[in-house]
Amino acid sequence: DAGVTQSPTHLIKTRGQQVTLRCSPKSGHDTVSWYQQALGQGPQFIFQYYEEEERQRGNFPDRFSGHQFPNYSSELNVNALLLGDSALYLCASSLGEVPQPQHFGDGTRLSIL
Amino acid sequence: GQSLEQPSEVTAVEGAIVQINCTYQTSGFYGLSWYQQHDGGAPTFLSYNALDGLEETGRFSSFLSRSDSYGYLLLQELQMKDSASYFCAVITGGSYIPTFGRGTSLIVHP
């Protein structure tokens, strides 16, 4: 039973570039959430996708966008990268809408130079 | 808004018991979760409390007092592998999105 998988594991970009991160949810899960975790901080909620639509969004600018595909996998896109976007980006999957444990992937470490 | 407070660091010795506290301020409180994260790894779900009282799962227990806006994670028979960061996360009704605290780094010494 595959857990949550994310790619790539590490990425280095420069300011102003764009990046796409990918996530495959745990088998049987239909909801995908994305989080940003800065060093020494807890994960901060970016947005959540369900049935291929953005269902909820945290306090992040429009430079952060996403997509969910019919197979429930998801992408996170960040445009016009800033130095402050350097962080660990975590994908979490769950089943349905009621509070369920979030199953996290190992994340993508994004470094902006 | 929401706020969560937990200690930044706790140290203990192998075999001991340690308690990590979490206090929160939020509207629409629904429940409190705990996650463990080893360096460079994925956060792993440990427990969830929606009602007052103690929930026990093996060596780990979690407690919630809704009237005091307070919870704690209790780790017994500490092992070296328990060295990790522990996050409390508040769940609010309607969104059901967890809001995480800044985490507590637990260091277990031999």
Side-chain angles (χ1 to χ4, degrees):
Chain A
D1 181 18
V4 179
T5 58
Q6 293 187 241
S7 64
T9 55
H10 294 84
L11 203 51
I12 299 174
K13 292 285 188 178
T14 57
R15 282 180 297 174
Q17 285 189 311
Q18 177 265 343
V19 69
T20 298
L21 311 181
R22 296 177 175 82
C23 171
S24 292
K26 179 180 168 66
S27 177
H29 286 182
D30 58 5
T31 302
V32 173
S33 302
W34 286 92
Y35 294 81
Q36 180 193 67
Q37 186 176 23
L39 203 61
Q41 305 290 321
Q44 299 296 309
F45 174 71
I46 302 175
F47 42 54
Q48 182 182 80
Y49 277 84
Y50 174 72
E51 292 188 340
E52 301 180 52
E53 292 196 357
E54 183 182 291
R55 183 163 67 182
Q56 308 222 40
R57 188 178 184 92
N59 189 25
F60 278 80
D62 293 343
R63 298 186 298 109
F64 291 76
S65 63
H67 188 78
Q68 186 179 36
F69 299 93
N71 66 353
Y72 307 119
S73 67
S74 177
E75 288 181 350
L76 164 66
N77 301 291
V78 187
N79 294 322
L81 286 166
L82 304 174
L83 293 178
D85 295 332
S86 294
L88 180 67
Y89 288 85
L90 294 162
C91 171
S93 72
S94 55
L95 179 62
E97 190 174 9
V98 295
Q100 295 288 344
Q102 303 273 297
H103 292 255
F104 284 86
D106 286 335
T108 294
R109 173 71 63 186
L110 176 63
S111 299
I112 311 302
L113 303 179
Chain B
Q2 298 172 336
S3 70
L4 294 97
E5 293 289 333
Q6 51 181 129
S8 58
E9 186 176 293
V10 173
T11 59
V13 296
E14 229 176 344
I17 299 173
V18 73
Q19 179 175 312
I20 300 174
N21 299 319
C22 174
T23 58
Y24 58 86
Q25 286 188 315
T26 186
S27 55
F29 177 84
Y30 195 89
L32 189 71
S33 292
W34 289 91
Y35 287 79
Q36 177 194 61
Q37 185 179 32
H38 286 97
D39 275 351
T44 304
F45 173 79
L46 293 176
S47 67
Y48 173 70
N49 296 67
L51 302 176
D52 286 355
L54 193 67
E55 295 280 343
E56 297 181 70
T57 309
R59 295 188 296 113
F60 294 2
S61 302
S62 58
F63 173 83
L64 175 66
S65 169
R66 296 173 68 109
S67 60
D68 295 324
S69 297
Y70 164 75
Y72 66 73
L73 180 69
L74 190 73
L75 298 86
Q76 303 182 71
E77 301 172 19
L78 280 174
Q79 302 174 9
M80 296 296 290
K81 68 178 182 179
D82 297 329
S83 292
S85 292
Y86 292 84
F87 296 91
C88 61
V90 164
I91 315 294
T92 53
S95 74
Y96 305 121
I97 301 297
T99 298
F100 288 82
R102 298 183 64 166
T104 297
S105 176
L106 171 63
I107 302 170
V108 180
H109 295 289

